[in-house]
Amino acid sequence: MRALLLCAALLATGCGSSRTASERSAATTSTPGPSTHSVAVDGTTREYRLYRPAGLSRRAPLIVVYHGWPQTAEDAERGGGWTQAADRHGFVVAFPEGVEQSFNAGGCCGGAQSEGVDDVAAAHAIITDVSRRVGVDRRRIYATGFSNGAMMAYRLGCESDRFAAIGPVAGTQMVDCPDRRRVSVIHIHGTEDGIVPPDGDADLPPIRRVISQWRSSLRCAPASVTTSGDLRRSRSRCPGGLDVDLFTLRGLDHEWATRSQGLDTTETLWAFFARHRR
């Protein structure tokens, strides 16, 4: 049921879109524009889409963007405005393809979870492959995602040392995280999210508890809170230049908010990422 609602909520991005044969065959290109590539992970082949803007610097930031369940990498590429943002700001974007349209985030969702897929290893393989094709600044690598993809971003924040910051959107943390990495966090969520309720449920941890745990582990200062219309920003600075921010948008359901809804999610994430390095 949650999967059906997710597709309905994000119909504009197109659930289960197909790729062109020319994109699929672009296995070694590093020229500007979109392309599709694959990496070997634990004896399996994992695909990802790559977008490289023209005029890219030799050491560009990399953002890894995870789609929701049951979506595809192309849905994430088309639905969030990431390629346009990459053109404006000069960063590279990788869009991993989930197993059975899902990622193993540690408690949700779909085939990747049930099959025990190692999506952390897949993330590392994708980063290595992108770095071989494009000049990536290893101090400026970031992860974000929507819903199940947001859960995957949290898992990477807990279990990987490759990321300077993560930006979960409309998801929650599904893994234990006793030793949080030195990574900054920005979380964006709608107050009316019926798929991943901000207050949690029997299966999903509440967002404020997750954020509180990050702030406690990173020894952050008390949060400063500001509101502007329907947008509430809770920001906390932490030692070592880290930050843990929570943005909530009143009235927003299970969606990737746009400027017309009171928050440009993609631009907000980039502005946060741009301030942080590993």
Side-chain angles (χ1 to χ4, degrees), residues 183-226:
V183 58
S184 291
V185 180
I186 177 172
H187 185 118
I188 299 175
H189 218 103
T191 62
E192 302 306 312
D193 192 328
I195 306 299
V196 183
D199 292 332
D201 61 20
D203 302 313
L204 303 171
I207 305 308
R208 283 189 172 83
R209 186 176 77 195
V210 171
I211 293 298
S212 177
Q213 289 171 343
W214 276 92
R215 287 173 173 167
S216 176
S217 293
L218 298 179
R219 298 182 288 111
C220 302
S224 63
V225 178
T226 60

mmCIF file of all heavy atoms in Angstrom, residues 183-226:
data_model
loop_
_atom_site.group_PDB
_atom_site.id
_atom_site.type_symbol
_atom_site.label_atom_id
_atom_site.label_comp_id
_atom_site.label_asym_id
_atom_site.label_seq_id
_atom_site.Cartn_x
_atom_site.Cartn_y
_atom_site.Cartn_z
ATOM 1 N N VAL A 183 29.775 13.493 10.147
ATOM 2 C CA VAL A 183 29.050 13.900 8.954
ATOM 3 C C VAL A 183 27.948 14.867 9.361
ATOM 4 O O VAL A 183 27.294 14.676 10.388
ATOM 5 C CB VAL A 183 28.474 12.675 8.214
ATOM 6 C CG1 VAL A 183 27.555 11.872 9.097
ATOM 7 C CG2 VAL A 183 27.739 13.090 6.941
ATOM 8 N N SER A 184 27.762 15.929 8.590
ATOM 9 C CA SER A 184 26.665 16.858 8.844
ATOM 10 C C SER A 184 25.369 16.311 8.256
ATOM 11 O O SER A 184 25.387 15.536 7.294
ATOM 12 C CB SER A 184 26.985 18.222 8.232
ATOM 13 O OG SER A 184 28.045 18.848 8.926
ATOM 14 N N VAL A 185 24.254 16.725 8.844
ATOM 15 C CA VAL A 185 22.938 16.197 8.444
ATOM 16 C C VAL A 185 21.972 17.349 8.240
ATOM 17 O O VAL A 185 21.866 18.249 9.085
ATOM 18 C CB VAL A 185 22.371 15.253 9.528
ATOM 19 C CG1 VAL A 185 21.003 14.726 9.103
ATOM 20 C CG2 VAL A 185 23.336 14.113 9.824
ATOM 21 N N ILE A 186 21.254 17.312 7.118
ATOM 22 C CA ILE A 186 20.080 18.159 6.940
ATOM 23 C C ILE A 186 18.925 17.244 6.559
ATOM 24 O O ILE A 186 19.023 16.463 5.618
ATOM 25 C CB ILE A 186 20.290 19.264 5.889
ATOM 26 C CG1 ILE A 186 18.991 20.068 5.710
ATOM 27 C CG2 ILE A 186 20.798 18.707 4.559
ATOM 28 C CD1 ILE A 186 19.125 21.304 4.842
ATOM 29 N N HIS A 187 17.851 17.320 7.329
ATOM 30 C CA HIS A 187 16.678 16.476 7.107
ATOM 31 C C HIS A 187 15.509 17.384 6.746
ATOM 32 O O HIS A 187 15.253 18.391 7.418
ATOM 33 C CB HIS A 187 16.353 15.677 8.373
ATOM 34 C CG HIS A 187 15.244 14.691 8.191
ATOM 35 N ND1 HIS A 187 15.423 13.339 8.337
ATOM 36 C CD2 HIS A 187 13.926 14.855 7.869
ATOM 37 C CE1 HIS A 187 14.270 12.721 8.116
ATOM 38 N NE2 HIS A 187 13.349 13.631 7.825
ATOM 39 N N ILE A 188 14.759 17.025 5.693
ATOM 40 C CA ILE A 188 13.605 17.795 5.237
ATOM 41 C C ILE A 188 12.382 16.881 5.234
ATOM 42 O O ILE A 188 12.426 15.766 4.701
ATOM 43 C CB ILE A 188 13.845 18.387 3.842
ATOM 44 C CG1 ILE A 188 15.055 19.332 3.872
ATOM 45 C CG2 ILE A 188 12.602 19.115 3.330
ATOM 46 C CD1 ILE A 188 15.455 19.879 2.519
ATOM 47 N N HIS A 189 11.265 17.357 5.825
ATOM 48 C CA HIS A 189 10.099 16.496 5.990
ATOM 49 C C HIS A 189 8.818 17.335 6.002
ATOM 50 O O HIS A 189 8.810 18.465 6.501
ATOM 51 C CB HIS A 189 10.192 15.724 7.310
ATOM 52 C CG HIS A 189 9.697 14.320 7.227
ATOM 53 N ND1 HIS A 189 10.530 13.230 7.163
ATOM 54 C CD2 HIS A 189 8.434 13.812 7.184
ATOM 55 C CE1 HIS A 189 9.812 12.123 7.104
ATOM 56 N NE2 HIS A 189 8.533 12.451 7.112
ATOM 57 N N GLY A 190 7.749 16.771 5.462
ATOM 58 C CA GLY A 190 6.439 17.402 5.517
ATOM 59 C C GLY A 190 5.680 16.983 6.761
ATOM 60 O O GLY A 190 5.725 15.810 7.156
ATOM 61 N N THR A 191 4.958 17.924 7.373
ATOM 62 C CA THR A 191 4.234 17.596 8.610
ATOM 63 C C THR A 191 3.058 16.663 8.363
ATOM 64 O O THR A 191 2.608 15.987 9.288
ATOM 65 C CB THR A 191 3.705 18.872 9.277
ATOM 66 O OG1 THR A 191 2.774 19.532 8.398
ATOM 67 C CG2 THR A 191 4.836 19.817 9.630
ATOM 68 N N GLU A 192 2.557 16.597 7.116
ATOM 69 C CA GLU A 192 1.403 15.754 6.807
ATOM 70 C C GLU A 192 1.796 14.492 6.050
ATOM 71 O O GLU A 192 0.952 13.889 5.391
ATOM 72 C CB GLU A 192 0.378 16.561 5.997
ATOM 73 C CG GLU A 192 -0.118 17.819 6.697
ATOM 74 C CD GLU A 192 -0.678 17.537 8.081
ATOM 75 O OE1 GLU A 192 -1.490 16.604 8.214
ATOM 76 O OE2 GLU A 192 -0.275 18.237 9.035
ATOM 77 N N ASP A 193 3.047 14.092 6.157
ATOM 78 C CA ASP A 193 3.520 12.894 5.472
ATOM 79 C C ASP A 193 2.795 11.667 6.014
ATOM 80 O O ASP A 193 2.947 11.309 7.188
ATOM 81 C CB ASP A 193 5.036 12.750 5.668
ATOM 82 C CG ASP A 193 5.662 11.706 4.756
ATOM 83 O OD1 ASP A 193 4.990 10.712 4.433
ATOM 84 O OD2 ASP A 193 6.829 11.886 4.381
ATOM 85 N N GLY A 194 2.013 11.020 5.151
ATOM 86 C CA GLY A 194 1.265 9.840 5.573
ATOM 87 C C GLY A 194 1.975 8.533 5.307
ATOM 88 O O GLY A 194 1.519 7.471 5.756
ATOM 89 N N ILE A 195 3.089 8.571 4.571
ATOM 90 C CA ILE A 195 3.849 7.357 4.265
ATOM 91 C C ILE A 195 4.954 7.134 5.291
ATOM 92 O O ILE A 195 5.128 6.038 5.820
ATOM 93 C CB ILE A 195 4.452 7.439 2.846
ATOM 94 C CG1 ILE A 195 3.365 7.753 1.811
ATOM 95 C CG2 ILE A 195 5.165 6.137 2.503
ATOM 96 C CD1 ILE A 195 2.279 6.715 1.727
ATOM 97 N N VAL A 196 5.706 8.192 5.570
ATOM 98 C CA VAL A 196 6.716 8.177 6.634
ATOM 99 C C VAL A 196 6.321 9.276 7.621
ATOM 100 O O VAL A 196 6.807 10.408 7.533
ATOM 101 C CB VAL A 196 8.139 8.410 6.093
ATOM 102 C CG1 VAL A 196 9.166 8.304 7.222
ATOM 103 C CG2 VAL A 196 8.467 7.403 4.990
ATOM 104 N N PRO A 197 5.429 8.964 8.575
ATOM 105 C CA PRO A 197 4.927 10.006 9.486
ATOM 106 C C PRO A 197 6.063 10.635 10.296
ATOM 107 O O PRO A 197 6.929 9.909 10.813
ATOM 108 C CB PRO A 197 3.964 9.242 10.398
ATOM 109 C CG PRO A 197 3.629 7.983 9.650
ATOM 110 C CD PRO A 197 4.838 7.647 8.848
ATOM 111 N N PRO A 198 6.099 11.949 10.387
ATOM 112 C CA PRO A 198 7.186 12.578 11.145
ATOM 113 C C PRO A 198 7.230 12.144 12.604
ATOM 114 O O PRO A 198 8.307 12.136 13.213
ATOM 115 C CB PRO A 198 6.904 14.074 11.009
ATOM 116 C CG PRO A 198 5.488 14.176 10.549
ATOM 117 C CD PRO A 198 5.199 12.943 9.791
ATOM 118 N N ASP A 199 6.078 11.763 13.173
ATOM 119 C CA ASP A 199 6.043 11.291 14.554
ATOM 120 C C ASP A 199 6.281 9.796 14.669
ATOM 121 O O ASP A 199 6.230 9.244 15.777
ATOM 122 C CB ASP A 199 4.701 11.647 15.195
ATOM 123 C CG ASP A 199 4.533 13.140 15.375
ATOM 124 O OD1 ASP A 199 5.550 13.835 15.528
ATOM 125 O OD2 ASP A 199 3.384 13.624 15.343
ATOM 126 N N GLY A 200 6.540 9.134 13.539
ATOM 127 C CA GLY A 200 6.828 7.713 13.547
ATOM 128 C C GLY A 200 5.592 6.846 13.694
ATOM 129 O O GLY A 200 4.474 7.336 13.841
ATOM 130 N N ASP A 201 5.803 5.538 13.655
ATOM 131 C CA ASP A 201 4.741 4.569 13.910
ATOM 132 C C ASP A 201 5.392 3.299 14.435
ATOM 133 O O ASP A 201 6.545 3.327 14.881
ATOM 134 C CB ASP A 201 3.873 4.327 12.659
ATOM 135 C CG ASP A 201 4.661 3.773 11.476
ATOM 136 O OD1 ASP A 201 5.772 3.221 11.683
ATOM 137 O OD2 ASP A 201 4.174 3.880 10.333
ATOM 138 N N ALA A 202 4.685 2.183 14.377
ATOM 139 C CA ALA A 202 5.218 0.937 14.932
ATOM 140 C C ALA A 202 6.493 0.481 14.234
ATOM 141 O O ALA A 202 7.323 -0.226 14.828
ATOM 142 C CB ALA A 202 4.156 -0.159 14.844
ATOM 143 N N ASP A 203 6.675 0.887 12.976
ATOM 144 C CA ASP A 203 7.825 0.431 12.202
ATOM 145 C C ASP A 203 8.869 1.504 11.933
ATOM 146 O O ASP A 203 10.016 1.179 11.598
ATOM 147 C CB ASP A 203 7.352 -0.118 10.845
ATOM 148 C CG ASP A 203 6.370 -1.261 10.989
ATOM 149 O OD1 ASP A 203 6.652 -2.176 11.793
ATOM 150 O OD2 ASP A 203 5.327 -1.244 10.310
ATOM 151 N N LEU A 204 8.479 2.771 12.074
ATOM 152 C CA LEU A 204 9.342 3.867 11.641
ATOM 153 C C LEU A 204 9.672 4.798 12.805
ATOM 154 O O LEU A 204 8.769 5.340 13.443
ATOM 155 C CB LEU A 204 8.657 4.663 10.523
ATOM 156 C CG LEU A 204 8.249 3.855 9.283
ATOM 157 C CD1 LEU A 204 7.384 4.700 8.359
ATOM 158 C CD2 LEU A 204 9.494 3.358 8.545
ATOM 159 N N PRO A 205 10.948 5.020 13.091
ATOM 160 C CA PRO A 205 11.331 5.909 14.199
ATOM 161 C C PRO A 205 10.905 7.349 13.934
ATOM 162 O O PRO A 205 10.948 7.810 12.785
ATOM 163 C CB PRO A 205 12.859 5.798 14.233
ATOM 164 C CG PRO A 205 13.181 4.532 13.522
ATOM 165 C CD PRO A 205 12.126 4.375 12.475
ATOM 166 N N PRO A 206 10.495 8.090 14.957
ATOM 167 C CA PRO A 206 10.125 9.493 14.780
ATOM 168 C C PRO A 206 11.333 10.343 14.403
ATOM 169 O O PRO A 206 12.443 10.118 14.886
ATOM 170 C CB PRO A 206 9.551 9.890 16.144
ATOM 171 C CG PRO A 206 10.121 8.893 17.110
ATOM 172 C CD PRO A 206 10.308 7.631 16.354
ATOM 173 N N ILE A 207 11.081 11.338 13.563
ATOM 174 C CA ILE A 207 12.179 12.143 13.026
ATOM 175 C C ILE A 207 12.899 12.922 14.121
ATOM 176 O O ILE A 207 14.138 12.981 14.153
ATOM 177 C CB ILE A 207 11.649 13.104 11.951
ATOM 178 C CG1 ILE A 207 10.898 12.323 10.863
ATOM 179 C CG2 ILE A 207 12.806 13.904 11.353
ATOM 180 C CD1 ILE A 207 11.658 11.177 10.276
ATOM 181 N N ARG A 208 12.165 13.544 15.012
ATOM 182 C CA ARG A 208 12.817 14.372 16.030
ATOM 183 C C ARG A 208 13.724 13.543 16.936
ATOM 184 O O ARG A 208 14.745 14.038 17.408
ATOM 185 C CB ARG A 208 11.767 15.149 16.830
ATOM 186 C CG ARG A 208 11.220 16.345 16.065
ATOM 187 C CD ARG A 208 10.336 17.238 16.926
ATOM 188 N NE ARG A 208 9.989 18.463 16.207
ATOM 189 C CZ ARG A 208 9.006 18.575 15.336
ATOM 190 N NH1 ARG A 208 8.256 17.515 15.071
ATOM 191 N NH2 ARG A 208 8.764 19.718 14.724
ATOM 192 N N ARG A 209 13.356 12.293 17.190
ATOM 193 C CA ARG A 209 14.230 11.437 17.999
ATOM 194 C C ARG A 209 15.526 11.135 17.247
ATOM 195 O O ARG A 209 16.619 11.159 17.840
ATOM 196 C CB ARG A 209 13.524 10.128 18.349
ATOM 197 C CG ARG A 209 14.340 9.258 19.317
ATOM 198 C CD ARG A 209 13.573 8.025 19.726
ATOM 199 N NE ARG A 209 13.570 7.022 18.671
ATOM 200 C CZ ARG A 209 12.762 5.968 18.631
ATOM 201 N NH1 ARG A 209 11.834 5.797 19.575
ATOM 202 N NH2 ARG A 209 12.840 5.102 17.649
ATOM 203 N N VAL A 210 15.415 10.867 15.942
ATOM 204 C CA VAL A 210 16.611 10.615 15.130
ATOM 205 C C VAL A 210 17.537 11.825 15.143
ATOM 206 O O VAL A 210 18.742 11.708 15.377
ATOM 207 C CB VAL A 210 16.204 10.256 13.680
ATOM 208 C CG1 VAL A 210 17.434 10.220 12.773
ATOM 209 C CG2 VAL A 210 15.476 8.918 13.642
ATOM 210 N N ILE A 211 16.964 13.012 14.921
ATOM 211 C CA ILE A 211 17.771 14.237 14.909
ATOM 212 C C ILE A 211 18.387 14.499 16.282
ATOM 213 O O ILE A 211 19.560 14.894 16.394
ATOM 214 C CB ILE A 211 16.908 15.431 14.463
ATOM 215 C CG1 ILE A 211 16.495 15.261 12.994
ATOM 216 C CG2 ILE A 211 17.649 16.745 14.658
ATOM 217 C CD1 ILE A 211 17.644 15.214 12.018
ATOM 218 N N SER A 212 17.620 14.250 17.345
ATOM 219 C CA SER A 212 18.136 14.440 18.694
ATOM 220 C C SER A 212 19.330 13.529 18.964
ATOM 221 O O SER A 212 20.315 13.935 19.600
ATOM 222 C CB SER A 212 17.027 14.182 19.719
ATOM 223 O OG SER A 212 17.522 14.282 21.040
ATOM 224 N N GLN A 213 19.269 12.303 18.485
ATOM 225 C CA GLN A 213 20.368 11.366 18.686
ATOM 226 C C GLN A 213 21.630 11.819 17.947
ATOM 227 O O GLN A 213 22.737 11.711 18.475
ATOM 228 C CB GLN A 213 19.941 9.971 18.230
ATOM 229 C CG GLN A 213 18.919 9.331 19.152
ATOM 230 C CD GLN A 213 18.330 8.054 18.577
ATOM 231 O OE1 GLN A 213 18.423 7.785 17.367
ATOM 232 N NE2 GLN A 213 17.716 7.253 19.438
ATOM 233 N N TRP A 214 21.463 12.332 16.737
ATOM 234 C CA TRP A 214 22.607 12.852 15.999
ATOM 235 C C TRP A 214 23.226 14.037 16.744
ATOM 236 O O TRP A 214 24.449 14.133 16.877
ATOM 237 C CB TRP A 214 22.197 13.271 14.586
ATOM 238 C CG TRP A 214 22.186 12.126 13.623
ATOM 239 C CD1 TRP A 214 21.129 11.316 13.310
ATOM 240 C CD2 TRP A 214 23.295 11.644 12.846
ATOM 241 N NE1 TRP A 214 21.510 10.362 12.395
ATOM 242 C CE2 TRP A 214 22.840 10.548 12.087
ATOM 243 C CE3 TRP A 214 24.616 12.052 12.721
ATOM 244 C CZ2 TRP A 214 23.666 9.845 11.224
ATOM 245 C CZ3 TRP A 214 25.455 11.356 11.850
ATOM 246 C CH2 TRP A 214 24.979 10.255 11.114
ATOM 247 N N ARG A 215 22.383 14.947 17.207
ATOM 248 C CA ARG A 215 22.900 16.128 17.906
ATOM 249 C C ARG A 215 23.613 15.743 19.196
ATOM 250 O O ARG A 215 24.646 16.320 19.546
ATOM 251 C CB ARG A 215 21.748 17.099 18.182
ATOM 252 C CG ARG A 215 21.270 17.814 16.922
ATOM 253 C CD ARG A 215 20.019 18.640 17.150
ATOM 254 N NE ARG A 215 19.698 19.429 15.958
ATOM 255 C CZ ARG A 215 18.549 20.055 15.762
ATOM 256 N NH1 ARG A 215 17.586 19.988 16.686
ATOM 257 N NH2 ARG A 215 18.353 20.744 14.654
ATOM 258 N N SER A 216 23.066 14.768 19.888
ATOM 259 C CA SER A 216 23.703 14.326 21.124
ATOM 260 C C SER A 216 25.056 13.671 20.841
ATOM 261 O O SER A 216 26.053 13.953 21.519
ATOM 262 C CB SER A 216 22.780 13.352 21.857
ATOM 263 O OG SER A 216 23.399 12.827 23.008
ATOM 264 N N SER A 217 25.103 12.786 19.841
ATOM 265 C CA SER A 217 26.341 12.077 19.525
ATOM 266 C C SER A 217 27.434 13.014 19.048
ATOM 267 O O SER A 217 28.620 12.816 19.349
ATOM 268 C CB SER A 217 26.076 11.012 18.459
ATOM 269 O OG SER A 217 25.251 9.997 18.961
ATOM 270 N N LEU A 218 27.050 14.054 18.301
ATOM 271 C CA LEU A 218 28.023 14.997 17.764
ATOM 272 C C LEU A 218 28.288 16.166 18.709
ATOM 273 O O LEU A 218 29.027 17.082 18.367
ATOM 274 C CB LEU A 218 27.563 15.513 16.402
ATOM 275 C CG LEU A 218 27.427 14.449 15.302
ATOM 276 C CD1 LEU A 218 26.929 15.077 14.009
ATOM 277 C CD2 LEU A 218 28.759 13.727 15.066
ATOM 278 N N ARG A 219 27.669 16.133 19.907
ATOM 279 C CA ARG A 219 27.854 17.162 20.940
ATOM 280 C C ARG A 219 27.518 18.563 20.414
ATOM 281 O O ARG A 219 28.253 19.525 20.585
ATOM 282 C CB ARG A 219 29.283 17.107 21.488
ATOM 283 C CG ARG A 219 29.618 15.779 22.175
ATOM 284 C CD ARG A 219 31.015 15.763 22.748
ATOM 285 N NE ARG A 219 32.021 15.679 21.684
ATOM 286 C CZ ARG A 219 32.847 16.661 21.380
ATOM 287 N NH1 ARG A 219 32.806 17.810 22.045
ATOM 288 N NH2 ARG A 219 33.735 16.517 20.425
ATOM 289 N N CYS A 220 26.368 18.648 19.763
ATOM 290 C CA CYS A 220 25.948 19.901 19.141
ATOM 291 C C CYS A 220 25.421 20.887 20.177
ATOM 292 O O CYS A 220 24.964 20.500 21.259
ATOM 293 C CB CYS A 220 24.862 19.641 18.102
ATOM 294 S SG CYS A 220 25.365 18.489 16.798
ATOM 295 N N ALA A 221 25.458 22.149 19.823
ATOM 296 C CA ALA A 221 24.864 23.197 20.652
ATOM 297 C C ALA A 221 23.349 23.120 20.562
ATOM 298 O O ALA A 221 22.801 22.518 19.633
ATOM 299 C CB ALA A 221 25.352 24.561 20.163
ATOM 300 N N PRO A 222 22.629 23.707 21.521
ATOM 301 C CA PRO A 222 21.168 23.751 21.434
ATOM 302 C C PRO A 222 20.726 24.374 20.109
ATOM 303 O O PRO A 222 21.375 25.302 19.596
ATOM 304 C CB PRO A 222 20.767 24.623 22.626
ATOM 305 C CG PRO A 222 21.878 24.447 23.597
ATOM 306 C CD PRO A 222 23.123 24.322 22.776
ATOM 307 N N ALA A 223 19.649 23.861 19.582
ATOM 308 C CA ALA A 223 19.192 24.301 18.265
ATOM 309 C C ALA A 223 18.587 25.696 18.327
ATOM 310 O O ALA A 223 17.941 26.073 19.316
ATOM 311 C CB ALA A 223 18.169 23.318 17.723
ATOM 312 N N SER A 224 18.805 26.454 17.258
ATOM 313 C CA SER A 224 18.093 27.715 17.064
ATOM 314 C C SER A 224 16.946 27.447 16.095
ATOM 315 O O SER A 224 17.126 26.766 15.082
ATOM 316 C CB SER A 224 19.028 28.782 16.503
ATOM 317 O OG SER A 224 19.514 28.412 15.231
ATOM 318 N N VAL A 225 15.777 27.974 16.421
ATOM 319 C CA VAL A 225 14.574 27.678 15.634
ATOM 320 C C VAL A 225 14.025 28.968 15.057
ATOM 321 O O VAL A 225 13.862 29.966 15.769
ATOM 322 C CB VAL A 225 13.507 26.981 16.499
ATOM 323 C CG1 VAL A 225 12.252 26.715 15.675
ATOM 324 C CG2 VAL A 225 14.064 25.673 17.071
ATOM 325 N N THR A 226 13.744 28.947 13.750
ATOM 326 C CA THR A 226 13.097 30.073 13.088
ATOM 327 C C THR A 226 11.954 29.549 12.243
ATOM 328 O O THR A 226 11.983 28.397 11.784
ATOM 329 C CB THR A 226 14.087 30.845 12.192
ATOM 330 O OG1 THR A 226 14.614 29.955 11.184
ATOM 331 C CG2 THR A 226 15.224 31.429 13.004
#
